[in-house]
PDB file of all heavy atoms in Angstrom:
ATOM      1  N   LEU B 173     107.289  91.846  68.767  1.00 96.00           N
ATOM      2  CA  LEU B 173     106.610  92.618  67.725  1.00 96.00           C
ATOM      3  C   LEU B 173     107.601  93.140  66.692  1.00 96.00           C
ATOM      4  O   LEU B 173     107.305  93.150  65.486  1.00 96.00           O
ATOM      5  CB  LEU B 173     105.835  93.775  68.365  1.00 96.00           C
ATOM      6  CG  LEU B 173     104.648  93.360  69.244  1.00 96.00           C
ATOM      7  CD1 LEU B 173     104.083  94.572  69.978  1.00 96.00           C
ATOM      8  CD2 LEU B 173     103.558  92.671  68.427  1.00 96.00           C
ATOM      9  N   ALA B 174     108.784  93.544  67.142  1.00 96.00           N
ATOM     10  CA  ALA B 174     109.805  94.022  66.205  1.00 96.00           C
ATOM     11  C   ALA B 174     110.268  92.910  65.285  1.00 96.00           C
ATOM     12  O   ALA B 174     110.474  93.121  64.077  1.00 96.00           O
ATOM     13  CB  ALA B 174     110.988  94.596  66.982  1.00 96.00           C
ATOM     14  N   GLY B 177     108.222  92.365  62.386  1.00 93.00           N
ATOM     15  CA  GLY B 177     108.320  93.403  61.369  1.00 93.00           C
ATOM     16  C   GLY B 177     107.536  94.656  61.679  1.00 93.00           C
ATOM     17  O   GLY B 177     107.507  95.592  60.875  1.00 93.00           O
ATOM     18  N   HIS B 178     106.899  94.712  62.839  1.00 95.00           N
ATOM     19  CA  HIS B 178     106.160  95.922  63.208  1.00 95.00           C
ATOM     20  C   HIS B 178     107.137  97.059  63.489  1.00 95.00           C
ATOM     21  O   HIS B 178     108.211  96.847  64.071  1.00 95.00           O
ATOM     22  CB  HIS B 178     105.307  95.668  64.452  1.00 95.00           C
ATOM     23  CG  HIS B 178     104.212  94.675  64.241  1.00 95.00           C
ATOM     24  ND1 HIS B 178     103.006  95.019  63.693  1.00 95.00           N
ATOM     25  CD2 HIS B 178     104.157  93.341  64.501  1.00 95.00           C
ATOM     26  CE1 HIS B 178     102.234  93.937  63.633  1.00 95.00           C
ATOM     27  NE2 HIS B 178     102.918  92.905  64.111  1.00 95.00           N
ATOM     28  N   VAL B 179     106.764  98.257  63.101  1.00 94.00           N
ATOM     29  CA  VAL B 179     107.567  99.451  63.370  1.00 94.00           C
ATOM     30  C   VAL B 179     106.767 100.452  64.205  1.00 94.00           C
ATOM     31  O   VAL B 179     107.264 101.002  65.178  1.00 94.00           O
ATOM     32  CB  VAL B 179     108.030 100.111  62.051  1.00 94.00           C
ATOM     33  CG1 VAL B 179     108.755 101.424  62.341  1.00 94.00           C
ATOM     34  CG2 VAL B 179     108.908  99.154  61.258  1.00 94.00           C
ATOM     35  N   ARG B 180     105.531 100.667  63.818  1.00 96.00           N
ATOM     36  CA  ARG B 180     104.667 101.586  64.573  1.00 96.00           C
ATOM     37  C   ARG B 180     103.747 100.765  65.481  1.00 96.00           C
ATOM     38  O   ARG B 180     102.809 100.107  65.018  1.00 96.00           O
ATOM     39  CB  ARG B 180     103.857 102.472  63.630  1.00 96.00           C
ATOM     40  CG  ARG B 180     104.724 103.495  62.893  1.00 96.00           C
ATOM     41  CD  ARG B 180     103.906 104.377  61.971  1.00 96.00           C
ATOM     42  NE  ARG B 180     102.906 105.180  62.656  1.00 96.00           N
ATOM     43  CZ  ARG B 180     103.170 106.320  63.302  1.00 96.00           C
ATOM     44  NH1 ARG B 180     104.416 106.777  63.377  1.00 96.00           N
ATOM     45  NH2 ARG B 180     102.207 106.992  63.885  1.00 96.00           N
ATOM     46  N   VAL B 181     104.063 100.804  66.768  1.00 97.00           N
ATOM     47  CA  VAL B 181     103.295 100.047  67.760  1.00 97.00           C
ATOM     48  C   VAL B 181     102.686 101.034  68.747  1.00 97.00           C
ATOM     49  O   VAL B 181     103.388 101.872  69.324  1.00 97.00           O
ATOM     50  CB  VAL B 181     104.184  99.038  68.505  1.00 97.00           C
ATOM     51  CG1 VAL B 181     103.363  98.289  69.561  1.00 97.00           C
ATOM     52  CG2 VAL B 181     104.805  98.050  67.523  1.00 97.00           C
ATOM     53  N   GLY B 182     101.365 100.955  68.917  1.00 98.00           N
ATOM     54  CA  GLY B 182     100.687 101.834  69.863  1.00 98.00           C
ATOM     55  C   GLY B 182     100.735 101.278  71.274  1.00 98.00           C
ATOM     56  O   GLY B 182     100.641 100.059  71.479  1.00 98.00           O
ATOM     57  N   TYR B 183     100.899 102.168  72.251  1.00 98.00           N
ATOM     58  CA  TYR B 183     100.954 101.761  73.651  1.00 98.00           C
ATOM     59  C   TYR B 183      99.884 102.514  74.425  1.00 98.00           C
ATOM     60  O   TYR B 183      99.862 103.750  74.442  1.00 98.00           O
ATOM     61  CB  TYR B 183     102.330 102.055  74.241  1.00 98.00           C
ATOM     62  CG  TYR B 183     102.474 101.650  75.692  1.00 98.00           C
ATOM     63  CD1 TYR B 183     102.482 100.311  76.063  1.00 98.00           C
ATOM     64  CD2 TYR B 183     102.603 102.613  76.695  1.00 98.00           C
ATOM     65  CE1 TYR B 183     102.613  99.933  77.390  1.00 98.00           C
ATOM     66  CE2 TYR B 183     102.738 102.238  78.022  1.00 98.00           C
ATOM     67  CZ  TYR B 183     102.742 100.900  78.365  1.00 98.00           C
ATOM     68  OH  TYR B 183     102.874 100.523  79.677  1.00 98.00           O
ATOM     69  N   TRP B 200     108.454 100.465  78.695  1.00 98.00           N
ATOM     70  CA  TRP B 200     108.065 100.551  77.280  1.00 98.00           C
ATOM     71  C   TRP B 200     109.001 101.488  76.519  1.00 98.00           C
ATOM     72  O   TRP B 200     109.511 101.135  75.456  1.00 98.00           O
ATOM     73  CB  TRP B 200     106.626 101.026  77.175  1.00 98.00           C
ATOM     74  CG  TRP B 200     106.236 101.479  75.806  1.00 98.00           C
ATOM     75  CD1 TRP B 200     106.200 102.758  75.332  1.00 98.00           C
ATOM     76  CD2 TRP B 200     105.862 100.641  74.714  1.00 98.00           C
ATOM     77  NE1 TRP B 200     105.813 102.776  74.015  1.00 98.00           N
ATOM     78  CE2 TRP B 200     105.603 101.492  73.604  1.00 98.00           C
ATOM     79  CE3 TRP B 200     105.706  99.270  74.557  1.00 98.00           C
ATOM     80  CZ2 TRP B 200     105.204 101.011  72.378  1.00 98.00           C
ATOM     81  CZ3 TRP B 200     105.298  98.780  73.326  1.00 98.00           C
ATOM     82  CH2 TRP B 200     105.057  99.630  72.251  1.00 98.00           C
ATOM     83  N   VAL B 204     111.415 100.302  73.459  1.00 97.00           N
ATOM     84  CA  VAL B 204     111.241 100.850  72.110  1.00 97.00           C
ATOM     85  C   VAL B 204     112.564 101.393  71.594  1.00 97.00           C
ATOM     86  O   VAL B 204     112.945 101.177  70.433  1.00 97.00           O
ATOM     87  CB  VAL B 204     110.150 101.936  72.114  1.00 97.00           C
ATOM     88  CG1 VAL B 204     110.205 102.779  70.840  1.00 97.00           C
ATOM     89  CG2 VAL B 204     108.771 101.299  72.248  1.00 97.00           C
ATOM     90  N   GLY B 208     114.409  99.717  68.161  1.00 91.00           N
ATOM     91  CA  GLY B 208     114.336 100.462  66.913  1.00 91.00           C
ATOM     92  C   GLY B 208     112.926 100.733  66.433  1.00 91.00           C
ATOM     93  O   GLY B 208     112.740 101.210  65.305  1.00 91.00           O
ATOM     94  N   LEU B 209     111.902 100.449  67.242  1.00 95.00           N
ATOM     95  CA  LEU B 209     110.535 100.799  66.860  1.00 95.00           C
ATOM     96  C   LEU B 209     110.380 102.314  66.833  1.00 95.00           C
ATOM     97  O   LEU B 209     111.168 103.049  67.428  1.00 95.00           O
ATOM     98  CB  LEU B 209     109.538 100.201  67.853  1.00 95.00           C
ATOM     99  CG  LEU B 209     109.420  98.680  67.948  1.00 95.00           C
ATOM    100  CD1 LEU B 209     108.287  98.309  68.890  1.00 95.00           C
ATOM    101  CD2 LEU B 209     109.207  98.048  66.579  1.00 95.00           C
ATOM    102  N   SER B 210     109.345 102.784  66.176  1.00 96.00           N
ATOM    103  CA  SER B 210     109.085 104.219  66.106  1.00 96.00           C
ATOM    104  C   SER B 210     108.855 104.775  67.509  1.00 96.00           C
ATOM    105  O   SER B 210     108.088 104.195  68.301  1.00 96.00           O
ATOM    106  CB  SER B 210     107.851 104.491  65.245  1.00 96.00           C
ATOM    107  OG  SER B 210     107.483 105.856  65.331  1.00 96.00           O
ATOM    108  N   ASP B 211     109.507 105.903  67.804  1.00 96.00           N
ATOM    109  CA  ASP B 211     109.300 106.563  69.091  1.00 96.00           C
ATOM    110  C   ASP B 211     108.382 107.774  68.957  1.00 96.00           C
ATOM    111  O   ASP B 211     108.424 108.695  69.790  1.00 96.00           O
ATOM    112  CB  ASP B 211     110.636 106.971  69.707  1.00 96.00           C
ATOM    113  CG  ASP B 211     111.408 107.959  68.826  1.00 96.00           C
ATOM    114  OD1 ASP B 211     110.906 108.300  67.728  1.00 96.00           O
ATOM    115  OD2 ASP B 211     112.498 108.390  69.244  1.00 96.00           O
ATOM    116  N   ASP B 212     107.538 107.774  67.939  1.00 97.00           N
ATOM    117  CA  ASP B 212     106.553 108.832  67.741  1.00 97.00           C
ATOM    118  C   ASP B 212     105.700 108.963  69.015  1.00 97.00           C
ATOM    119  O   ASP B 212     105.016 108.019  69.411  1.00 97.00           O
ATOM    120  CB  ASP B 212     105.666 108.469  66.549  1.00 97.00           C
ATOM    121  CG  ASP B 212     104.619 109.538  66.245  1.00 97.00           C
ATOM    122  OD1 ASP B 212     104.503 110.515  67.009  1.00 97.00           O
ATOM    123  OD2 ASP B 212     103.907 109.381  65.228  1.00 97.00           O
ATOM    124  N   PRO B 213     105.737 110.121  69.693  1.00 97.00           N
ATOM    125  CA  PRO B 213     104.972 110.269  70.941  1.00 97.00           C
ATOM    126  C   PRO B 213     103.474 110.100  70.754  1.00 97.00           C
ATOM    127  O   PRO B 213     102.764 109.783  71.711  1.00 97.00           O
ATOM    128  CB  PRO B 213     105.322 111.686  71.414  1.00 97.00           C
ATOM    129  CG  PRO B 213     105.832 112.402  70.203  1.00 97.00           C
ATOM    130  CD  PRO B 213     106.494 111.345  69.357  1.00 97.00           C
ATOM    131  N   ALA B 214     102.983 110.289  69.519  1.00 98.00           N
ATOM    132  CA  ALA B 214     101.554 110.120  69.266  1.00 98.00           C
ATOM    133  C   ALA B 214     101.122 108.667  69.407  1.00 98.00           C
ATOM    134  O   ALA B 214      99.922 108.377  69.502  1.00 98.00           O
ATOM    135  CB  ALA B 214     101.204 110.632  67.866  1.00 98.00           C
ATOM    136  N   LEU B 215     102.102 107.738  69.423  1.00 98.00           N
ATOM    137  CA  LEU B 215     101.781 106.319  69.559  1.00 98.00           C
ATOM    138  C   LEU B 215     101.544 105.904  71.009  1.00 98.00           C
ATOM    139  O   LEU B 215     101.226 104.748  71.281  1.00 98.00           O
ATOM    140  CB  LEU B 215     102.900 105.455  68.966  1.00 98.00           C
ATOM    141  CG  LEU B 215     103.016 105.497  67.440  1.00 98.00           C
ATOM    142  CD1 LEU B 215     104.284 104.798  66.979  1.00 98.00           C
ATOM    143  CD2 LEU B 215     101.781 104.862  66.799  1.00 98.00           C
ATOM    144  N   VAL B 216     101.705 106.832  71.950  1.00 98.00           N
ATOM    145  CA  VAL B 216     101.441 106.554  73.366  1.00 98.00           C
ATOM    146  C   VAL B 216     100.173 107.294  73.786  1.00 98.00           C
ATOM    147  O   VAL B 216     100.089 108.527  73.664  1.00 98.00           O
ATOM    148  CB  VAL B 216     102.618 106.987  74.262  1.00 98.00           C
ATOM    149  CG1 VAL B 216     102.262 106.794  75.734  1.00 98.00           C
ATOM    150  CG2 VAL B 216     103.867 106.197  73.911  1.00 98.00           C
ATOM    151  N   ALA B 232      91.897 106.865  69.323  1.00 98.00           N
ATOM    152  CA  ALA B 232      92.882 107.922  69.072  1.00 98.00           C
ATOM    153  C   ALA B 232      94.024 107.419  68.190  1.00 98.00           C
ATOM    154  O   ALA B 232      94.453 108.107  67.248  1.00 98.00           O
ATOM    155  CB  ALA B 232      93.433 108.436  70.402  1.00 98.00           C
ATOM    156  N   LEU B 233      94.506 106.231  68.440  1.00 98.00           N
ATOM    157  CA  LEU B 233      95.638 105.686  67.689  1.00 98.00           C
ATOM    158  C   LEU B 233      95.278 105.420  66.236  1.00 98.00           C
ATOM    159  O   LEU B 233      96.096 105.621  65.326  1.00 98.00           O
ATOM    160  CB  LEU B 233      96.149 104.413  68.358  1.00 98.00           C
ATOM    161  CG  LEU B 233      96.842 104.616  69.711  1.00 98.00           C
ATOM    162  CD1 LEU B 233      96.999 103.281  70.435  1.00 98.00           C
ATOM    163  CD2 LEU B 233      98.191 105.295  69.536  1.00 98.00           C
ATOM    164  N   PHE B 234      94.049 104.978  65.994  1.00 97.00           N
ATOM    165  CA  PHE B 234      93.647 104.678  64.622  1.00 97.00           C
ATOM    166  C   PHE B 234      93.027 105.891  63.928  1.00 97.00           C
ATOM    167  O   PHE B 234      92.513 105.774  62.819  1.00 97.00           O
ATOM    168  CB  PHE B 234      92.722 103.458  64.594  1.00 97.00           C
ATOM    169  CG  PHE B 234      93.491 102.175  64.737  1.00 97.00           C
ATOM    170  CD1 PHE B 234      93.763 101.662  65.990  1.00 97.00           C
ATOM    171  CD2 PHE B 234      94.006 101.532  63.626  1.00 97.00           C
ATOM    172  CE1 PHE B 234      94.507 100.511  66.139  1.00 97.00           C
ATOM    173  CE2 PHE B 234      94.754 100.374  63.757  1.00 97.00           C
ATOM    174  CZ  PHE B 234      95.015  99.864  65.020  1.00 97.00           C
ATOM    175  N   SER B 235      93.105 107.040  64.601  1.00 97.00           N
ATOM    176  CA  SER B 235      92.762 108.305  63.948  1.00 97.00           C
ATOM    177  C   SER B 235      94.009 109.008  63.419  1.00 97.00           C
ATOM    178  O   SER B 235      93.895 110.047  62.761  1.00 97.00           O
ATOM    179  CB  SER B 235      92.034 109.231  64.937  1.00 97.00           C
ATOM    180  OG  SER B 235      90.808 108.675  65.344  1.00 97.00           O
ATOM    181  N   LEU B 236      95.188 108.451  63.698  1.00 97.00           N
ATOM    182  CA  LEU B 236      96.435 109.049  63.230  1.00 97.00           C
ATOM    183  C   LEU B 236      96.565 108.922  61.716  1.00 97.00           C
ATOM    184  O   LEU B 236      95.998 108.001  61.105  1.00 97.00           O
ATOM    185  CB  LEU B 236      97.633 108.363  63.911  1.00 97.00           C
ATOM    186  CG  LEU B 236      97.737 108.493  65.432  1.00 97.00           C
ATOM    187  CD1 LEU B 236      98.882 107.618  65.945  1.00 97.00           C
ATOM    188  CD2 LEU B 236      97.937 109.952  65.825  1.00 97.00           C
ATOM    189  N   ASP B 237      97.326 109.821  61.107  1.00 96.00           N
ATOM    190  CA  ASP B 237      97.581 109.727  59.673  1.00 96.00           C
ATOM    191  C   ASP B 237      98.230 108.390  59.328  1.00 96.00           C
ATOM    192  O   ASP B 237      97.967 107.821  58.274  1.00 96.00           O
ATOM    193  CB  ASP B 237      98.483 110.873  59.220  1.00 96.00           C
ATOM    194  CG  ASP B 237      97.762 112.205  59.219  1.00 96.00           C
ATOM    195  OD1 ASP B 237      96.509 112.196  59.155  1.00 96.00           O
ATOM    196  OD2 ASP B 237      98.431 113.249  59.285  1.00 96.00           O
ATOM    197  N   GLU B 238      99.105 107.928  60.215  1.00 96.00           N
ATOM    198  CA  GLU B 238      99.735 106.617  60.023  1.00 96.00           C
ATOM    199  C   GLU B 238      99.466 105.773  61.265  1.00 96.00           C
ATOM    200  O   GLU B 238     100.222 105.808  62.231  1.00 96.00           O
ATOM    201  CB  GLU B 238     101.246 106.760  59.799  1.00 96.00           C
ATOM    202  CG  GLU B 238     101.908 105.464  59.366  1.00 96.00           C
ATOM    203  CD  GLU B 238     103.389 105.627  59.113  1.00 96.00           C
ATOM    204  OE1 GLU B 238     103.890 106.769  59.164  1.00 96.00           O
ATOM    205  OE2 GLU B 238     104.050 104.599  58.871  1.00 96.00           O
ATOM    206  N   PRO B 239      98.400 105.012  61.262  1.00 96.00           N
ATOM    207  CA  PRO B 239      98.018 104.243  62.448  1.00 96.00           C
ATOM    208  C   PRO B 239      99.046 103.143  62.756  1.00 96.00           C
ATOM    209  O   PRO B 239      99.837 102.752  61.891  1.00 96.00           O
ATOM    210  CB  PRO B 239      96.675 103.630  62.058  1.00 96.00           C
ATOM    211  CG  PRO B 239      96.195 104.413  60.889  1.00 96.00           C
ATOM    212  CD  PRO B 239      97.429 104.849  60.168  1.00 96.00           C
ATOM    213  N   PRO B 240      99.026 102.631  63.970  1.00 96.00           N
ATOM    214  CA  PRO B 240      99.929 101.532  64.320  1.00 96.00           C
ATOM    215  C   PRO B 240      99.472 100.222  63.682  1.00 96.00           C
ATOM    216  O   PRO B 240      98.317 100.085  63.268  1.00 96.00           O
ATOM    217  CB  PRO B 240      99.815 101.461  65.837  1.00 96.00           C
ATOM    218  CG  PRO B 240      98.440 101.975  66.132  1.00 96.00           C
ATOM    219  CD  PRO B 240      98.188 103.054  65.108  1.00 96.00           C
ATOM    220  N   THR B 241     100.385  99.269  63.618  1.00 95.00           N
ATOM    221  CA  THR B 241     100.036  97.923  63.149  1.00 95.00           C
ATOM    222  C   THR B 241      99.925  96.951  64.311  1.00 95.00           C
ATOM    223  O   THR B 241      99.583  95.781  64.113  1.00 95.00           O
ATOM    224  CB  THR B 241     101.101  97.412  62.162  1.00 95.00           C
ATOM    225  OG1 THR B 241     102.377  97.386  62.819  1.00 95.00           O
ATOM    226  CG2 THR B 241     101.163  98.295  60.927  1.00 95.00           C
ATOM    227  N   ALA B 242     100.225  97.434  65.523  1.00 97.00           N
ATOM    228  CA  ALA B 242     100.119  96.598  66.717  1.00 97.00           C
ATOM    229  C   ALA B 242      99.798  97.488  67.909  1.00 97.00           C
ATOM    230  O   ALA B 242     100.093  98.688  67.903  1.00 97.00           O
ATOM    231  CB  ALA B 242     101.419  95.829  66.961  1.00 97.00           C
ATOM    232  N   ILE B 243      99.182  96.875  68.938  1.00 97.00           N
ATOM    233  CA  ILE B 243      98.777  97.587  70.150  1.00 97.00           C
ATOM    234  C   ILE B 243      99.252  96.791  71.363  1.00 97.00           C
ATOM    235  O   ILE B 243      99.131  95.566  71.407  1.00 97.00           O
ATOM    236  CB  ILE B 243      97.236  97.717  70.234  1.00 97.00           C
ATOM    237  CG1 ILE B 243      96.675  98.534  69.078  1.00 97.00           C
ATOM    238  CG2 ILE B 243      96.812  98.308  71.576  1.00 97.00           C
ATOM    239  CD1 ILE B 243      96.944  99.998  69.182  1.00 97.00           C
ATOM    240  N   LEU B 244      99.776  97.505  72.366  1.00 98.00           N
ATOM    241  CA  LEU B 244     100.036  96.890  73.668  1.00 98.00           C
ATOM    242  C   LEU B 244      99.274  97.690  74.714  1.00 98.00           C
ATOM    243  O   LEU B 244      99.473  98.899  74.846  1.00 98.00           O
ATOM    244  CB  LEU B 244     101.533  96.874  74.002  1.00 98.00           C
ATOM    245  CG  LEU B 244     101.962  95.941  75.154  1.00 98.00           C
ATOM    246  CD1 LEU B 244     103.436  95.580  75.038  1.00 98.00           C
ATOM    247  CD2 LEU B 244     101.697  96.552  76.533  1.00 98.00           C
ATOM    248  N   ASP B 268      94.487  92.361  60.953  1.00 94.00           N
ATOM    249  CA  ASP B 268      94.653  93.789  60.671  1.00 94.00           C
ATOM    250  C   ASP B 268      95.558  94.455  61.705  1.00 94.00           C
ATOM    251  O   ASP B 268      96.226  95.443  61.400  1.00 94.00           O
ATOM    252  CB  ASP B 268      93.293  94.495  60.670  1.00 94.00           C
ATOM    253  CG  ASP B 268      92.379  93.979  59.586  1.00 94.00           C
ATOM    254  OD1 ASP B 268      92.892  93.639  58.499  1.00 94.00           O
ATOM    255  OD2 ASP B 268      91.161  93.905  59.825  1.00 94.00           O
ATOM    256  N   VAL B 269      95.545  93.954  62.908  1.00 96.00           N
ATOM    257  CA  VAL B 269      96.327  94.551  63.986  1.00 96.00           C
ATOM    258  C   VAL B 269      96.705  93.462  64.996  1.00 96.00           C
ATOM    259  O   VAL B 269      95.900  92.591  65.323  1.00 96.00           O
ATOM    260  CB  VAL B 269      95.527  95.684  64.675  1.00 96.00           C
ATOM    261  CG1 VAL B 269      94.227  95.186  65.263  1.00 96.00           C
ATOM    262  CG2 VAL B 269      96.375  96.362  65.748  1.00 96.00           C
ATOM    263  N   ALA B 270      97.961  93.508  65.445  1.00 97.00           N
ATOM    264  CA  ALA B 270      98.415  92.605  66.501  1.00 97.00           C
ATOM    265  C   ALA B 270      98.094  93.244  67.857  1.00 97.00           C
ATOM    266  O   ALA B 270      98.160  94.463  68.008  1.00 97.00           O
ATOM    267  CB  ALA B 270      99.913  92.353  66.377  1.00 97.00           C
ATOM    268  N   VAL B 333     103.089  91.319  59.620  1.00 57.00           N
ATOM    269  CA  VAL B 333     102.652  92.710  59.708  1.00 57.00           C
ATOM    270  C   VAL B 333     101.589  92.978  58.660  1.00 57.00           C
ATOM    271  O   VAL B 333     101.802  92.749  57.468  1.00 57.00           O
ATOM    272  CB  VAL B 333     103.841  93.667  59.480  1.00 57.00           C
ATOM    273  CG1 VAL B 333     103.369  95.110  59.497  1.00 57.00           C
ATOM    274  CG2 VAL B 333     104.892  93.450  60.549  1.00 57.00           C
ATOM    275  N   PRO B 334     100.423  93.458  59.070  1.00 53.00           N
ATOM    276  CA  PRO B 334      99.378  93.770  58.096  1.00 53.00           C
ATOM    277  C   PRO B 334      99.632  95.117  57.428  1.00 53.00           C
ATOM    278  O   PRO B 334     100.465  95.900  57.858  1.00 53.00           O
ATOM    279  CB  PRO B 334      98.114  93.842  58.962  1.00 53.00           C
ATOM    280  CG  PRO B 334      98.627  94.308  60.294  1.00 53.00           C
ATOM    281  CD  PRO B 334      99.993  93.688  60.445  1.00 53.00           C
ATOM    282  N   PRO B 336      98.933  98.806  57.012  1.00 51.00           N
ATOM    283  CA  PRO B 336      98.328  99.759  57.955  1.00 51.00           C
ATOM    284  C   PRO B 336      96.940 100.210  57.510  1.00 51.00           C
ATOM    285  O   PRO B 336      96.732 100.513  56.334  1.00 51.00           O
ATOM    286  CB  PRO B 336      99.318 100.939  57.957  1.00 51.00           C
ATOM    287  CG  PRO B 336     100.622 100.330  57.523  1.00 51.00           C
ATOM    288  CD  PRO B 336     100.237  99.257  56.533  1.00 51.00           C
ATOM    289  N   SER B 337      96.006 100.199  58.455  1.00 52.00           N
ATOM    290  CA  SER B 337      94.647 100.634  58.150  1.00 52.00           C
ATOM    291  C   SER B 337      94.617 102.146  57.951  1.00 52.00           C
ATOM    292  O   SER B 337      95.438 102.870  58.518  1.00 52.00           O
ATOM    293  CB  SER B 337      93.704 100.257  59.295  1.00 52.00           C
ATOM    294  OG  SER B 337      93.748  98.885  59.536  1.00 52.00           O
TER     295      SER B 337
END
Side-chain angles (χ1 to χ4, degrees):
L173 293 172
H178 295 277
V179 175
R180 290 181 62 80
V181 178
Y183 180 69
W200 165 262
V204 165
L209 295 185
S210 172
D211 61 359
D212 181 355
L215 290 171
V216 175
L233 291 166
F234 282 88
S235 296
L236 297 173
D237 288 338
E238 190 178 354
T241 59
I243 297 287
L244 195 157
D268 297 325
V269 60
V333 177
S337 303

